[in-house]
Amino acid sequence: AGCRCKKLINGDDDEATVAYYCLHKFHWKPSEYLSLPMREKAFVIAAIDIRVEAEKKKMKEIDRAQGKG
């Protein structure tokens, strides 16, 4: 089962990937995310997308400032 879980988290299952992110960033148990109503899950996914994009942008700015990009 361990191998299957890694495959789910590594992108084979979007819901598992979001639950993994929630576990590490928000300290939610996977069941806390999975039990949310559909609209709340959609909100969480949108919020994560915004946060990830902001983090990527910040990393590009840091790389540019350090002369890496």
Side-chain angles (χ1 to χ4, degrees), residues 5-42:
C5 290
K6 283 184 182 179
K7 285 182 184 178
L8 288 174
I9 292 169
N10 285 328
D12 290 347
D13 182 314
D14 292 336
E15 198 159 64
T17 302
V18 175
Y20 174 84
Y21 187 94
C22 290
L23 173 72
H24 289 281
K25 294 290 186 173
F26 308 143
H27 308 286
W28 292 358
K29 295 178 204 164
S31 60
E32 291 177 88
Y33 168 73
L34 295 171
S35 66
L36 291 173
M38 183 79 73
R39 290 180 64 114
E40 288 184 32
K41 283 183 185 179

Side-chain angles (χ1 to χ4, degrees), residues 47-60:
I48 289 170
D49 287 345
I50 290 168
R51 182 172 177 167
V52 167
E53 286 302 315
E55 289 172 358
K56 285 180 182 178
K57 183 178 177 184
K58 185 69 172 173
M59 290 304 297
K60 282 184 182 180

